[in-house]
Amino acid sequence: MRKTARIPAVRGTGPRVALAAVALAGLTAFVVPGAAQAADAADSRGTAGAAAPLFPADGNLYAYQYVGFAGGHCAWAGDDADWSSCAPHGNMRNLANSLANRGFPGAYEDVLVYWDDANDAGGWDGARACLQNGWADGHLYQYEFPANGAGGGEKMHNNISAHRWVHSCTEDPM
């Protein structure tokens, strides 16, 4: 079943993320006197009065080999039509299980990730999904590519081969 609803800005797996959220919420209660505004520890964009973002903006898209933002990873500040070579991991083509868009808010803040059949040199020609600025998820198995090209309906985990930064999501955002 394809998920089409918007998801929270930061999601992870396991008790670590839950404990971090509780800890950040608890610290905010002591740091912000009066608690006039409730802190939302899950908001990775960091709004006024909120706890510090769990994934602060640094201008990069991150892909991790394992769920929960673990294992080898790669980071990109620009577009990449073929994830078979990236730094520091070396290869993330069809290996990503976690993603984090830590781009800076403003122009070209969202990212399109692409499915590809791996029978060519990569590119931006398959189904695509849009990751909004500040979006992160530690378990991509729950998402499928939309039906907007070859690979539509395929699970996203272990199926992303390229990405491109865009000004805004024209696809349904994840």
Side-chain angles (χ1 to χ4, degrees):
M1 180 172 144
R2 186 178 130 197
K3 293 199 176 199
T4 57
R6 268 193 141 154
I7 61 170
V10 172
R11 294 182 53 126
T13 58
R16 263 191 303 186
V17 172
L19 288 173
V22 169
L24 286 172
L27 287 173
T28 304
F30 292 107
V31 174
V32 180
Q37 293 180 332
D40 181 4
D43 183 359
S44 70
R45 296 174 192 205
T47 57
L54 296 177
F55 292 100
D58 67 2
N60 292 310
L61 168 67
Y62 288 84
Y64 297 84
Q65 188 173 7
Y66 302 122
V67 298
F69 309 102
H73 74 279
C74 289
W76 300 269
D79 300 344
D80 192 339
D82 183 1
W83 281 15
S84 62
S85 63
C86 59
H89 185 263
N91 178 16
M92 195 56 66
R93 184 179 175 95
N94 298 328
L95 296 174
N97 282 284
S98 302
L99 291 174
N101 177 351
R102 295 174 55 183
F104 295 116
Y108 295 95
E109 67 182 6
D110 297 335
V111 178
L112 290 176
V113 292
Y114 291 84
W115 179 92
D116 190 60
D117 64 9
N119 289 329
D120 59 21
W124 301 308
D125 53 0
R128 62 205 170 278
C130 192
L131 312 179
Q132 290 183 310
N133 181 257
W135 184 91
D137 194 280
H139 199 322
L140 295 178
Y141 186 80
Q142 62 188 325
Y143 301 102
E144 295 176 356
F145 280 98
N148 57 13
E154 296 285 332
K155 294 281 187 187
M156 289 185 67
H157 79 104
N158 294 330
N159 271 325
I160 301 171
S161 63
H163 77 276
R164 184 185 319 204
W165 291 88
V166 295
H167 182 63
S168 64
C169 288
T170 56
E171 309 294 328
D172 289 335
M174 294 184 61

